[in-house]
Amino acid sequence: MAKQLPYRAMHEIFTRFHAAAAEPKGELNHVNAYTLVVAVALSAQATDAGVNKATETLFQIADTPEKMLDLGEEGLIEHIKTIGLYRNKAKNVIKLSRILVEEYGGVVPSSRAALQSLPGVGRKTANVVLNMWWHYPAQAVDTHIFRVGNRTGIAPGKDVDAVERAIEDNVPAEFQLHAHHWLILHGRYTCVARKPKCPACLIRDLCPFEDKTVEPTPKRPRAKKGQDLT
């Protein structure tokens, strides 16, 4: 775990993230707050691409909790059975849809506590919805953000709660809204788990990670018979 970076380095890192992508977007497809809740709940232990493929037709016929209840658990399973843990996720989606209809008039609440009271919705899911739909500077820490936070010193912490607090405490205020997406996209495409793409990293010079990868040394071509390569 790297030490917490100083403010000046933090500000420069997020200035670069902003310059590269001023308005980063989440990659889960959705059409309203309800479908965002469902998509994020389905994405646990699954890829965004896999969820998007499964929900492409689902959200055309069930984009409200009322319509999802009409579809039913078995009907939902037919759409999401390519996603891991699909049976348990289907149960949770039906349960949360019923709660939304019976207790919230079919409207997704904008309170973290209320969101977390829904089946299958934990703090990370609630924070994603708060950030993406209501533009609240909530920090949803997944495996990518946990890795990037600790590897770079942007937000070191022993668990996801500690990393979340480190982001809230140390990322400059003007970058808080998009910090979640900058970090997750950086972890997904550049600061990957097994072999980070350090040569292509825009914050490489500010990152204290000791095991940086390097550009491979080009192979020297073999000399053909009678050819001088010196």
Side-chain angles (χ1 to χ4, degrees), residues 124-191:
K124 185 186 77 171
T125 297
N127 281 348
V128 171
V129 176
L130 290 172
N131 183 279
M132 291 182 63
W133 192 256
W134 283 286
H135 308 295
Y136 181 79
Q139 308 302 333
V141 178
D142 68 349
T143 55
H144 296 300
I145 295 179
F146 185 81
R147 178 178 65 254
V148 172
N150 279 288
R151 183 181 277 174
T152 64
I154 291 173
K158 292 183 179 180
D159 54 42
V160 293
D161 291 336
V163 170
E164 181 181 335
R165 288 193 299 271
I167 295 173
E168 292 174 343
D169 291 344
N170 297 293
V171 172
E174 64 264 40
F175 301 119
Q176 284 279 334
L177 178 59
H178 294 308
H180 158 72
H181 282 122
W182 281 319
L183 292 173
I184 194 172
L185 294 173
H186 190 64
R188 185 174 289 168
Y189 297 110
T190 302
C191 196

